[in-house]
Amino acid sequence: LTMAGKIAEAGLTSDGLFVANCTGEIETPDVERLRWFVLVGGHLFGSCWALHETIERALPGAVRKYETGSEVLANVEAFVCADESPFVEGVLTPGVTPRYALEGAHLIEVLEPERVEVLVDSPECAGEFGCGNLAAWFEAGHGTVLDSTNHFEEQGLVTAIGLKKPIDRQAYAVDHMGLDLAALRAVKDASWWENSEKASREITDLSVFRLVTNFVRLRRLELR
């Protein structure tokens, strides 16, 4: 964990990954250090407010927060829109449609489409807020920047709506979180299915985690 204002002391190296979670509020001494880190080969991953508070400040020009008329509060279906990209390989289980938890989210406005690739979007989100870009990436120098709009640690059962019975939570976990049937059979009688908060501690949506690890794995393979 790195404190704001002390990123220069964090020992960042060009083969590293820096995660800026919401709220992502860096301070002036951090800006140039993060910019240098990415330009020499580092990976910067931001979520939610980190788009505006970290990515725009350190590496402006490619993407920015999309301005909406109201705060973005929603739980929307998300779809991979870059099927040919190796970065999305294995991120989603076939037949699974994740739901992104947008809790005051900063949606992604693409300023340089020739440079930025949108990986995940949501027609539902676009229809409601005017922009549906949920995850996008771009190169900066020798490094990469990846942004995801959602609170990935809150994505899943804890933010799902209308789940009243264990079977509802189990169906949601299979349809939207990628829980396979073999894993479900092993835990289907567990008492924690009775409560969404308890179940959320046991069943995790790993799609955003897989997206981040794909970037690190594929980039390191390039350097071998």
Side-chain angles (χ1 to χ4, degrees):
L1 295 177
T2 303
M3 295 178 64
K6 296 188 177 181
I7 289 177
E9 303 170 20
L12 293 175
T13 59
S14 60
D15 62 348
L17 167 69
F18 187 89
V19 177
N21 200 1
C22 190
T23 59
E25 295 167 315
I26 59 176
E27 297 181 5
T28 300
D30 302 325
V31 174
E32 188 56 36
R33 180 60 177 181
L34 269 180
R35 177 176 172 78
W36 172 88
F37 162 71
V38 174
L39 294 181
V40 298
H43 307 286
L44 172 59
F45 170 60
S47 73
C48 201
W49 285 18
L51 170 61
H52 179 69
E53 300 292 347
T54 300
I55 294 173
E56 281 188 54
R57 292 185 66 189
L59 296 146
V63 293
R64 70 182 176 192
K65 173 192 174 186
Y66 180 81
E67 294 299 333
T68 57
S70 60
E71 188 176 13
V72 179
L73 297 170
N75 194 297
V76 299
E77 288 191 336
F79 299 89
V80 167
C81 58
D83 293 329
E84 302 302 317
S85 172
F87 295 125
V88 298
E89 184 178 349
V91 169
L92 300 183
T93 304
V96 173
T97 304
R99 297 195 69 91
Y100 268 40
L102 306 180
E103 305 291 327
H106 287 188
L107 302 176
I108 305 167
E109 181 179 3
V110 175
L111 301 178
E112 297 184 359
E114 71 282 358
R115 180 181 170 200
V116 179
E117 181 179 36
V118 177
L119 299 174
V120 181
D121 70 359
S122 170
E124 180 184 358
C125 183
E128 185 171 354
F129 299 104
C131 177
N133 299 330
L134 302 183
W137 79 282
F138 62 93
E139 291 181 328
H142 297 285
T144 57
V145 179
L146 170 64
D147 183 68
S148 181
T149 60
N150 61 326
H151 283 261
F152 56 88
E153 78 282 6
E154 294 183 7
Q155 186 167 315
L157 291 166
V158 73
T159 57
I161 300 170
L163 306 182
K164 298 179 179 180
K165 300 178 181 179
I167 194 171
D168 298 329
R169 298 182 184 95
Q170 292 169 1
Y172 188 95
V174 171
D175 293 341
H176 301 295
M177 300 175 64
L179 179 67
D180 64 58
L181 295 179
L184 174 61
R185 283 192 288 269
V187 298
K188 68 181 182 64
D189 296 322
S191 60
W192 40 259
W193 285 113
E194 296 286 345
N195 180 277
S196 289
E197 185 173 348
K198 290 180 180 179
S200 70
R201 299 174 194 151
E202 306 292 334
I203 307 297
T204 304
D205 184 342
L206 296 175
S207 58
V208 175
F209 175 77
R210 295 190 188 108
L211 192 61
V212 174
T213 54
N214 269 355
F215 270 82
V216 176
R217 177 177 59 84
L218 291 169
R219 286 293 176 172
R220 287 185 175 174
L221 285 173
E222 287 180 5
L223 297 175
R224 286 185 176 180

